[in-house]
Amino acid sequence: MTERYTVNESALGALVAAIANSGRRVLGPKKVAGRIDIGELTSFAELAKDGQSMVSAKGTVFPKVERLMKYRYAGKDVVLDDVEPGAAPTVLFGVRPCEAHAFAALDVVFNWDYKDKFFNTRLANTTVVAVACTQADESCFCTSVGSRPDDAAGSDILLSKLKSGGYMAEISTEKGKAVVALAKDVFQPLTGSADVVPAATVAPAFDAKALEQKLATKFDNPVWLEQSLRCLGCGACAYVCPTCVCFSIEDEADTRQGHRLRTWDSCGLRMFTLHASGHNPRDKQSQRWRQRVYHKFAYYPDRFKTLGCVGCGKCSRACPVDMNLKQHLAQAAQTP
Amino acid sequence: MEELKLKAKQLLAAGTVKVVIGYGTGTGDVRRPVFVRSADKVDDLVFDGSCTQNLATYLTKVEVRAMGRMAIVAVPSTLRSILQLAAEKQLREENVLALAMLDGSMKELAAFDAIEETVATIPDAISATDQAMMDKLTAMSVGERRAFWAAELNRCVKCYACRSSCPMCYCERCTMDCNRPQWIPVASHGIGNLEYHMVRAMHLAGRCVQCGTCGAACPIGIPVHLLTFFAEGTVRRQFGQKGGGSAKLDYAMSTFKPDDKEEFIR
């Protein structure tokens, strides 16, 4: 049952302070040296209110490096030491609805056939306060993947700017209510409608369901080679993406002890599918590019009944050679 | 630009080249690499001040080479990369045709000699912004510089956009992906990031044409190009040799000369 409040702009500073005082760290998009990074927010003023961060906030639940366990030799025995996830209570403040939406796509993998304690502990300790978008850019395509710039799905609290100043706050979870309780005076109960600033206009670029069906017959189509000629095969798109979840396991050790790490990995990298035999089933960039598209738009819906993409456009903005995913998908959807 | 399109049209129609690697219009205001393979698509090509990315990295891309003889729209750094690739035996003269874009006009350069001559007339240019940053870093104490790079490289996610966009990083098996032995940690923690960037800078010292494409490629906004600029600059000062000056190999880091002025080597 969604609770609705209004919050004054000036009161949001008090909210951020109250959250920090409760022992939670506040992370959100902030301007640093001309970029927008995800960083520690000490005030509401620090929040970047236009645009979105280049990297996603997935690092709060799925860090780029995470220690899973340690081991050491004790005489002839090997001793395994479990590692507890370092999950500081966190409020993600000021992320976009697309970002909030993305945690579900990570969740289906991390709770698939094995319940990942690292992801789950971190997610349980993370509260998501999203801000609805009143502007979008040419890379955005949330409306093509079943979402909207003012979608509350996935957020514990959604803030929408009011025409008169301040924000409407929609609280849809217990976690959200717990944050409200930290600064009750800041939240004024709202009855009736609120005059919100209209959400950004994001014209749909393709129909995701139709695309999924089309992909079923386009595996050997030359369009993948065409689209991937400029692709450099780096991991930029996968690493900034809030839904990309592939990882590698690395051991770092000497002759006495070591630890096992989980790190981000990308299907765009050549070595992703390289076998120990030397065979590589995806040896060409076109195969790897096709995999990215199919994984997010065909395999994910087939297996998990949800898309593996939230249309945030971070991949397109981060790509050194402008592999604009929205354009590529619109083209693929129209491939005869 | 019209000169370029006309030339591309002629080359493709006659089959003299099988692909023209150039710049096209991307999302919003950006320029992106395009691969024009038929004469009726030359209008995809654009050229203006925003075309700065070094496209030479595609000259060693398997899928592009497989097309046949390549023409490439070349800014000065691309010409230098062609020379360095030639020196390292990664390019054959008959497989590449440079369409040099200099001071608003196009010059067709087929032979490596011709490219060398042209490159010799173009002054090396590091942008004012980059030079200012390098001066700032040079003026720092070692401790300050270490803190600067530790903070920057901590943000690195090991996406390898820098390596992938660099024309000189063409190795099919990068030494830093090797795990028997594991030369450097793969993981993107502090030391893993630092060692990767240090090794890359050392592998480029004497080979780097200072195009800055690696820094522009970084999605995190780390000025990684400054590391290779510094390494390259050091080689130029200390050895008088440089990356991208000649189609004949002149590589300080792997050349021993009997008249080396250092005594310790004897």
Side-chain angles (χ1 to χ4, degrees), chain A residues 36-58:
Chain A
I36 304 180
D37 282 347
I38 298 280
E40 199 118 7
L41 294 174
T42 53
S43 70
F44 183 68
E46 278 186 328
L47 176 65
K49 310 217 182 30
D50 298 318
Q52 34 169 302
S53 58
M54 186 63 100
V55 296
S56 79
K58 77 178 172 188

Side-chain angles (χ1 to χ4, degrees), chain A residues 108-109 112 212 295 298-306:
Chain A
V108 289
V109 170
W112 185 6
E212 188 191 339
H295 184 238
Y299 308 150
Y300 238 82
D302 180 51
R303 220 173 255 278
F304 301 124
K305 311 297 172 238
T306 185

Side-chain angles (χ1 to χ4, degrees), chain A residues 35 54-55 64-65 138 226 228-232 234-236 239 252 263 270-271 285 320-322 324 327, chain B residues 26-27 32-33 37 53 58 61 63 67 154-159 161 164 172 177 185 188-189 219-220:
Chain A
R35 306 176 305 264
M54 186 63 100
V55 296
K64 63 183 182 179
V65 188
E138 306 97 341
E226 289 301 317
S228 64
L229 277 175
R230 65 179 184 275
C231 174
L232 298 171
C234 70
Y239 291 178
E252 290 181 1
T263 67
R270 202 189 129 259
M271 284 178 59
Q285 199 61 50
V321 294
D322 192 42
N324 185 312
Q327 281 178 5
Chain B
T27 313
R32 61 160 79 140
R37 275 163 297 160
Q53 186 175 24
Y58 294 105
K61 191 175 181 186
E63 293 90 333
M67 294 174 185
N154 215 34
R155 301 186 300 115
C156 172
V157 292
K158 286 271 189 86
C159 70
S164 306
E172 272 181 37
D177 288 333
S188 176
H189 43 47
I220 312 293

